[in-house]
Structures are given as C-alpha cells and as structure tokens.
Amino acid sequence: MRSLLADAARRFYLHDRDCPLAYEPSGEDFLSPCLAEADFMRRVLRPEEFSRWLSNFLSGIVHHSGQMWLPPAVVTDRSDPKLAHIDGLNLSRAWMLEGIAHGLKAGDRRVAVLLKAAAQHGQAALPAVTGEHYEGGHWLGTYAVYLTSQAGLRQVNRP
C-alpha cells in the first residue's frame, strides 16, 4: 500500500508548484489543501527531495523565525456553523505544519518558522475545544488530539 501511495503521490503531486495559500481561508475551510498536500508529500519523499519540492510548492515560507508567516485565521463567531470551521482550519494547519517541519532536516532554516506558525495556530484554536458551541464542539476535539498527540510524527517508512 505504501508503494502504491508513493507512486500516486509522485504522479499526482511531484510537479506541483506555487500552491496558493493566499486563497485560504475561503470562509468555511477546515483543512488547508496546500498544507495537506505538503504533509502528504513529506511522508513519501526523502528529506532532501522533500526540501527541494517544498521550495517550489510553498516558496513563500520565510527563512527567519522572527518573521510572521501564515498567521492564524480569526474566528469572529464560534456559534456560526461555517465560521466554526476556521478553528478546525487552525488546528489542522498546526498539526500539518508540525508534520512538514518534521519532514525537513534539522538544519533547514524553515523548520523554526514552520514550528512557530504551528504553535501560533494551535494557541489560536485549542481554547475553542470546549464544547460550548455545538458547531465546533462535536468535532474539534479530534483535530486537537491529532495535534497534541503528535500523530504522524513518528519516523516515516519511505519507499
């Protein structure tokens, strides 16, 4: 199965460039297509290859952790079913940003930037995992578990 997924990843995504993060959030997103693709690719590419691919796919990642990159989206009304998705977007971004950082070599300057952005997204959304509003309370906990358990960050068996 791993081999089939790795082959499909290469066929479908290896040549993707310049993912439009500026299109996020659309107003009701709960997953980032750009970050989801990058997190998937880090699972099938070796770190050197992933680093090169990421440079083309998300070329806007800054190289200095003092700079803000990809600020968390703001939820203006957690009782609104569509806007509550933004907390999910922030949580899913946080866990995927950690995964992307995990796929790079430790010396890569983007790691600190990615981890800082992940922490900011987690801090923005974890307080919403309360159950106060059904709109987010019935599903945000799943995303919070992915983030806080560091699911998917164990050593990846690459083909």
Side-chain angles (χ1 to χ4, degrees), residues 56-92:
N56 292 317
F57 186 69
L58 291 176
S59 60
I61 299 174
V62 296
H63 290 95
H64 305 288
S65 61
Q67 294 178 284
M68 173 62 96
W69 180 75
L70 192 63
V74 176
V75 181
T76 56
D77 182 0
R78 287 190 164 92
S79 66
D80 180 296
K82 290 183 179 183
L83 295 177
H85 284 174
I86 303 302
D87 280 320
L89 175 67
N90 285 331
L91 285 172
S92 66

Side-chain angles (χ1 to χ4, degrees), residues 85-121:
H85 284 174
I86 303 302
D87 280 320
L89 175 67
N90 285 331
L91 285 172
S92 66
R93 278 179 171 179
W95 100 66
M96 290 187 283
L97 287 163
E98 284 185 353
I100 294 164
H102 185 77
L104 296 169
K105 288 187 172 186
D108 191 307
R109 294 182 303 176
R110 295 171 292 185
V111 170
V113 173
L114 291 164
L115 292 177
K116 181 178 179 181
Q120 291 168 335
H121 282 79

Side-chain angles (χ1 to χ4, degrees), residues 8-86:
R10 288 176 178 282
R11 283 185 290 118
F12 296 149
Y13 306 122
L14 191 62
H15 301 291
D16 287 359
R17 303 285 184 267
D18 300 316
C19 197
L21 272 174
Y23 292 171
E24 300 175 16
S26 71
E28 54 189 82
D29 296 337
F30 56 89
L31 288 173
S32 164
C34 292
L35 297 182
E37 183 174 336
D39 192 35
F40 177 58
M41 292 301 283
R42 67 104 179 160
R43 295 167 191 259
V44 298
L45 299 176
R46 300 203 181 280
E48 300 81 16
E49 187 178 15
F50 177 65
S51 177
R52 287 189 304 274
W53 179 86
L54 189 64
S55 292
N56 292 317
F57 186 69
L58 291 176
S59 60
I61 299 174
V62 296
H63 290 95
H64 305 288
S65 61
Q67 294 178 284
M68 173 62 96
W69 180 75
L70 192 63
V74 176
V75 181
T76 56
D77 182 0
R78 287 190 164 92
S79 66
D80 180 296
K82 290 183 179 183
L83 295 177
H85 284 174
I86 303 302

